[in-house]
């Protein structure tokens, strides 16, 4: 079993959007957190199947910082 880092944001229409850091371009949306996480799992599975990835580069998630300019 693999673990992925998911960033969750809310857009201006109150949709939740997830992006999978280890899989560029892998993202989805949902109205509730439960719906979003189910769709995120489906998106990860589809991404891996489509790309034929069996080995992914390991990276260590450190954190997120906000920067005000």
């Amino acid at each position: 079993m693999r673990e992925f880092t998911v960033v969750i944001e809310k857009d201006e229409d109150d949709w939740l959007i997830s992006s999978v850091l280890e899989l560029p371009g892998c993202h989805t949306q949902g109205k509730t957190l439960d719906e979003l996480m189910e769709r995120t799992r489906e998106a990860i599975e589809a991404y891996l199947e489509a790309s034929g990835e069996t080995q992914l580069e390991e990276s260590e998630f450190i954190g997120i910082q906000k920067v005000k300019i």
Side-chain angles (χ1 to χ4, degrees), residues 34-45:
D34 287 339
E35 178 184 38
L36 178 68
M37 294 315 296
E38 178 62 30
R39 288 183 174 185
T40 301
R41 285 182 193 90
E42 292 170 356
I44 291 170
E45 290 171 355

Side-chain angles (χ1 to χ4, degrees), residues 44-61:
I44 291 170
E45 290 171 355
Y47 185 103
L48 295 174
E49 185 178 313
S51 67
E53 292 287 341
T54 56
Q55 295 292 323
L56 296 172
E57 271 190 44
E58 292 291 323
S59 63
E60 180 183 359
F61 178 72

Side-chain angles (χ1 to χ4, degrees), residues 7-9 63-69:
V7 174
I8 300 172
E9 302 174 273
I64 296 175
Q65 292 287 316
K66 289 187 177 185
V67 177
K68 290 184 180 183
I69 298 177

